[in-house]
Amino acid sequence: MTTRTDKIQRRLDLRPATDPDDVLSCFVGPCALEDDQFPFEAISDVAEVESWRKEINRPIYHIHKWWAQRLGTVFRAIALGALTPSGTDILSAFYRPVRVKNLTVFDPFMGSGTTIGEAAKLGARAIGRDINPVAHFLVRNALAFHDRDEVLRTFRDIERDVAEQIRIHYKTILPDGTEGEVLYYFWVKQVDCPECAEQVDLFSSRVFAKHAYASKYPEAKAVCPSCGEINSVRYDSTHAACVSCAVEFNPQNGPASGQKATCPICDHSFPIAKTIREKNAPPAHRLYAKLVLMPDGTKTYAAATEEDRKAYELAEKALEARPNAYPVVGIEPGYNTNQALGYNYRYWHEMFNARQLLCLSILAERIRAIPEPVLRELFACLFSGALEFNNLFTSYKGEGTGAVRHMFAHHILKPERVPLEANVWGTPKSSGSFMTMFEGRIRRALDYADEPFELRIQGSQGQKKTTEKVFGLSERLGFDLAEDFQSFKDGKRVYLSCGDSSVTDIDDGAVDAIITDPPFFDNVHYSQLADFFHVWQRFILGEAGTRATNTTRSPAEVQNADVSAFTERLGAVWAECHRVLADDGVLAFTYHHSRSEGWSSVLHALMEAGFGISAAFPIKAEMSVAMPKHQAKEPIDLDIVLVCRKRLALKQHQWNGDLWGTIRPKAASQVARLRGAGRKLSRNDVRIIVMAQLIRQLSRSHSQEAALSLLEVSSPEIEATIESLHEINKSNSTGGLS
């Protein structure tokens, strides 16, 4: 069998002296990812900038929704570190046209494809596998070769054939007789009062539209509780008089407050969710307002009219006349679906209103008719991505930002009490529409595939970092994808597959580095949410291959709320990684967890599979604006990169009282480096740094039993170390003494 050393030597021997590329390759011995001086704080600064607009700064991985979409900056740095020798200046290499030819990178949890794309940009060969068909589908579309002219022609053909059929359902006539195109319709859920049977609007506030920066732009819109007129009010006003009926009201108050509602007719208070559950259907909705794009390009809020309601009824009748208009698939119970089921949403199509289903049906039918499979899949992917913004679980973010708050903002299927209906085809001023997402996702991804770029920090203006795009560093993206490992061995550069990563067709020792981001056992259950997209992808593209069943859930998923099941399944994947990884290769993955069992399960799984941890360091984690992060008391802003090698290649250690004497200095140094770079750390950020250094040392123990036992009894030292480092961090961030 050809060893990795043989491959490297052959590549270096054949390299022309005039080759402009920097060829940096793996070697037998420590890699740059294992160096104490790995520049994680500088990489984190660049990643921070990327994280604010990931869909613009790394659009290739954002053509479709996926959860925990990791930062390209971070994974470029990890790939560079894993594939270059110790002592390599990673920050310098980051901005050079480095190539690592002939080396193979594998990601067993490929998600949105970040590892695969970043490895390919460096010239490596890449294998990606994911158990979820939606993840596999989106990465195939992101990394397959697409002829730009054919893509643009196909979009124009779709526009010619169906755009007007959809737009006609978003026309409205204003009181002065002017015709406008509706950007958004505003709806409110209704529940029958258990006492008097009157329908109660579930407004928590009558203010339904305000600017994202309300203190700077205070004008907002409120709906009159008496006549339904739209009033201009200050966003925080507690008193208003309707311009139409003169009724005085408090714009901040509505019938719904927390989990209860009060009937404005009989003053009876009742629990909202319980009252809804007692019915056999999802809640009703009432159309109350619209935002209209006027012929002169201005936008106008207006109350919904009787003509608007009649137009909706026409859409309902048109939908009834379409055979097989949408997928009819039941929603299965689960941690991330139970809230929707509690509101009596039993089928995925019930998350849309009739007009949305009609317009989506028209689009789906047209996409199904695209003759070329690659183009049909790409536009089905675009269609699927648009579903996230065109359903009754979305809401209005307001002016000054993307108007549509997508349905997964809370990482659960949260029924929205005041949902927003967007114009499905869209206008140049729309958000989340099929047309604008083609421009913002597909075109942007094609541009990036042709000319990948990296961000480089130039300086700062106040607290904001200024950056530039650096082109010419990477190979172009777009590949003839391998369908199996044999065709990958025969020369194709990228191989993507869908299935259980504990069983693959990859040869023993064929992989030089494994770089990934495994799921957590107790967080978002991706498959439960991915089914929302999967049923439509299956509806358009058919039921063959990865779409053989109507759910993406699998009993082999690593993600599991049961710690022992999670540990066993993760260990099975790591065992397969151990088999396919070269003896001198590295496994590197990002991870964080706030609970001790999250760390013990990872340590258990790694050691069971024959891996030990050679290095661990913190790095900027995913999205800076993620809703769950903002809702957390002690949010985690960091990931830990755990660098692993086969235990046979690592020096083992018997701890004789020096364990914490080894851990504390390493953790303190990493905290100090981040603090010195101006990064504020939460207690949980400090926790993951300490825990990573602890399991790094324990993974070098002679026995797995000893390692897990030491971890279990280390709680006092863990908490004392975290407290000490966090207090130092706090005092320094507030100007105290270090």
Side-chain angles (χ1 to χ4, degrees):
M1 183 177 68
T2 302
T3 67
R4 183 170 55 162
T5 308
D6 293 335
K7 288 191 288 183
I8 294 160
Q9 189 60 49
R10 186 167 65 245
R11 169 58 185 163
L12 293 176
D13 287 346
L14 295 175
R15 178 189 174 205
T18 56
D19 191 338
D21 292 342
D22 290 309
V23 178
L24 299 171
S25 299
C26 264
F27 60 101
V28 179
C31 67
L33 203 57
E34 296 167 300
D35 290 347
D36 284 342
Q37 64 267 32
F38 187 88
F40 57 79
E41 62 271 68
I43 296 298
S44 293
D45 284 345
V46 181
E48 177 91 39
V49 177
E50 179 192 334
S51 73
W52 288 101
R53 296 300 300 275
K54 290 196 291 186
E55 73 282 4
I56 290 176
N57 295 321
R58 277 298 198 285
I60 197 75
Y61 313 126
H62 296 274
I63 63 171
H64 191 282
K65 173 70 179 179
W66 192 251
W67 296 267
Q69 290 176 308
R70 297 302 173 179
L71 299 168
T73 297
V74 168
F75 278 77
R76 175 178 173 85
I78 292 173
L80 274 170
L83 300 172
T84 58
S86 177
T88 300
D89 184 339
I90 292 297
L91 205 55
S92 173
F94 195 93
Y95 295 108
R96 298 208 313 268
V98 173
R99 297 294 180 269
V100 286
K101 302 289 187 181
N102 276 338
L103 300 182
T104 298
V105 174
F106 173 43
D107 185 350
F109 302 105
M110 69 177 170
S112 61
T114 307
T115 293
I116 309 305
E118 295 306 310
K121 283 164 54 183
L122 292 171
R125 308 183 75 217
I127 303 171
R129 186 167 173 83
D130 203 286
I131 198 168
N132 194 283
V134 172
H136 175 252
F137 178 67
L138 75 92
V139 180
R140 279 184 60 87
N141 280 285
L143 296 181
F145 172 75
H146 294 102
D147 184 294
R148 177 185 292 269
D149 291 339
E150 287 298 301
V151 172
L152 297 178
R153 176 191 60 76
T154 302
F155 177 76
R156 287 193 296 268
D157 289 347
I158 295 171
E159 183 176 35
R160 179 199 64 216
D161 292 345
V162 304
E164 195 53 38
Q165 291 182 52
I166 296 171
R167 283 185 176 134
I168 197 170
H169 294 287
Y170 294 92
K171 303 290 186 184
T172 190
I173 304 298
L174 295 177
D176 63 359
T178 305
E179 183 180 80
E181 190 161 13
V182 176
L183 292 166
Y184 311 107
Y185 284 113
F186 298 85
W187 297 79
V188 60
K189 273 186 171 57
Q190 294 184 308
V191 179
D192 292 345
C193 172
E195 188 71 18
C196 70
E198 284 291 327
Q199 288 189 310
V200 179
D201 291 340
L202 295 183
F203 286 115
S204 59
S205 167
R206 299 289 176 177
V207 175
F208 69 92
K210 60 184 179 182
H211 201 280
Y213 304 98
S215 58
K216 187 175 181 180
Y217 303 97
E219 183 179 333
K221 302 297 178 184
V223 58
C224 174
S226 178
C227 71
E229 185 57 76
I230 306 305
N231 291 263
S232 292
V233 299
R234 185 181 162 86
Y235 75 96
D236 56 358
S237 174
T238 58
H239 180 268
C242 178
V243 295
S244 178
C245 68
V247 164
E248 297 182 354
F249 65 100
N250 182 348
Q252 305 305 319
N253 292 342
S257 178
Q259 302 306 310
K260 291 189 174 183
T262 301
C263 176
I265 303 300
C266 70
D267 208 34
H268 175 68
S269 291
F270 57 91
I272 295 170
K274 182 175 181 290
T275 304
I276 291 172
R277 279 196 297 271
E278 290 172 352
K279 301 289 184 180
N280 288 322
H285 293 83
R286 181 176 71 83
L287 177 62
Y288 69 91
K290 59 195 174 187
L291 179 58
V292 182
L293 181 63
M294 304 296 284
D296 63 1
T298 60
K299 293 183 282 188
T300 300
Y301 290 93
T305 64
E306 190 58 33
E307 287 73 20
D308 292 323
R309 296 183 183 95
K310 287 180 180 177
Y312 181 77
E313 290 172 2
L314 289 174
E316 286 182 307
K317 291 177 181 176
L319 178 64
E320 290 174 1
R322 290 183 69 86
N324 191 31
Y326 48 81
V328 180
V329 180
I331 303 171
E332 296 183 25
Y335 178 82
N336 293 105
T337 54
N338 284 343
Q339 195 164 3
L341 288 167
Y343 268 58
N344 291 330
Y345 289 96
R346 306 298 185 198
Y347 295 88
W348 292 109
H349 70 269
E350 292 176 334
M351 294 182 174
F352 306 85
N353 70 24
R355 179 163 44 212
Q356 290 172 325
L357 286 173
L358 172 64
C359 296
L360 291 170
S361 175
I362 293 168
L363 261 178
E365 183 179 65
R366 178 59 183 82
I367 291 168
R368 194 183 293 120
I370 297 172
E372 301 86 353
V374 171
L375 290 169
R376 185 166 61 248
E377 286 205 358
L378 180 65
F379 280 91
C381 185
L382 172 62
F383 172 97
S384 180
L387 295 173
E388 183 184 7
F389 299 89
N390 292 276
N391 60 77
L392 291 180
F393 280 53
T394 64
S395 58
Y396 192 47
K397 289 167 69 176
E399 303 288 345
T401 184
V404 185
R405 181 177 290 107
H406 63 80
M407 69 181 300
F408 296 113
H410 298 276
H411 285 183
I412 56 173
L413 294 171
K414 179 178 178 289
E416 180 56 52
R417 293 177 184 174
V418 281
L420 183 74
E421 179 192 356
N423 184 320
V424 171
W425 182 266
T427 76
K429 294 195 176 182
S430 289
S431 176
S433 70
F434 187 80
M435 179 187 77
T436 55
M437 289 182 71
F438 175 75
E439 296 296 328
R441 290 194 176 183
I442 303 302
R443 267 190 189 262
R444 199 176 274 155
L446 290 174
D447 290 343
Y448 189 88
D450 285 344
E451 291 188 283
F453 61 83
E454 304 302 324
L455 297 175
R456 180 161 56 196
I457 295 174
Q458 292 179 300
S460 299
Q461 294 179 348
Q463 292 186 333
K464 185 177 181 181
K465 292 181 174 66
T466 59
T467 60
E468 63 174 341
K469 294 178 179 178
V470 183
F471 292 88
L473 303 177
S474 303
E475 295 197 359
R476 296 175 63 177
L477 297 169
F479 306 95
D480 178 16
L481 301 172
E483 296 296 330
D484 52 41
F485 186 69
Q486 185 59 52
S487 60
F488 178 77
K489 284 202 298 185
D490 290 343
K492 292 189 176 182
R493 272 190 58 196
V494 175
Y495 168 34
L496 307 176
S497 65
C498 181
D500 180 1
S501 288
S502 70
V503 182
T504 74
D505 62 347
I506 304 170
D507 287 349
D508 291 0
V511 172
D512 300 294
I514 297 170
I515 301 171
T516 192
D517 175 57
F520 300 156
F521 69 83
D522 60 350
N523 271 22
V524 182
H525 293 258
Y526 304 153
S527 62
Q528 296 178 16
L529 302 179
D531 281 354
F532 172 80
F533 301 113
H534 177 70
V535 298
W536 283 93
Q537 293 171 11
R538 192 168 184 257
F539 178 69
I540 295 173
L541 297 171
E543 302 175 2
T546 61
R547 292 179 288 274
T549 63
N550 60 17
T551 180
T552 67
R553 300 188 191 194
S554 166
E557 286 179 272
V558 168
Q559 197 162 39
N560 194 293
D562 180 81
V563 178
S564 60
F566 170 79
T567 304
E568 180 182 350
R569 294 174 191 179
L570 180 61
V573 174
W574 290 152
E576 179 70 353
C577 288
H578 193 280
R579 180 185 71 80
V580 304
L581 184 65
D583 286 343
D584 55 350
V586 294
L587 159 65
F589 63 96
T590 52
Y591 188 76
H592 70 239
H593 214 287
S594 60
R595 292 161 54 190
S596 59
E597 55 264 46
W599 295 95
S600 61
S601 72
V602 163
L603 178 61
H604 187 165
L606 281 171
M607 294 188 73
E608 185 78 21
F611 284 107
I613 303 169
S614 60
F617 56 85
I619 205 86
K620 174 74 181 83
E622 58 171 301
M623 201 169 208
S624 295
V625 294
M627 187 72 72
K629 176 185 169 182
H630 286 291
Q631 293 173 340
K633 184 178 179 181
E634 289 282 347
I636 299 177
D637 191 48
L638 299 174
D639 273 335
I640 290 295
V641 179
L642 295 172
V643 187
C644 309
R645 288 189 182 271
K646 294 183 177 181
R647 278 185 25 106
L648 291 175
L650 290 173
K651 181 181 178 182
Q652 294 182 355
H653 194 96
Q654 190 105 25
W655 302 107
N656 298 312
D658 63 339
L659 178 60
W660 284 93
T662 305
I663 293 165
R664 286 191 188 96
K666 286 258 187 193
S669 172
Q670 292 180 348
V671 168
R673 283 173 60 179
L674 289 168
R675 190 178 67 234
R679 190 167 293 277
K680 295 180 180 179
L681 306 181
S682 71
R683 187 180 302 274
N684 275 336
D685 285 328
V686 175
R687 178 177 298 279
I688 68 169
I689 293 172
V690 172
M691 293 303 298
Q693 291 305 326
L694 174 56
I695 69 166
R696 175 195 179 190
Q697 299 303 328
L698 293 178
S699 74
R700 312 287 283 273
S701 297
H702 282 291
S703 76
Q704 178 181 307
E705 183 181 1
L708 293 173
S709 177
L710 271 171
L711 180 58
E712 188 175 349
V713 300
S714 292
S715 182
E717 291 89 348
I718 291 169
E719 296 305 323
T721 304
I722 292 168
E723 185 65 25
S724 172
L725 294 180
H726 185 56
E727 286 302 315
I728 294 173
N729 173 61
K730 280 200 307 184
S731 65
N732 276 270
S733 65
T734 56
L737 297 175
S738 61

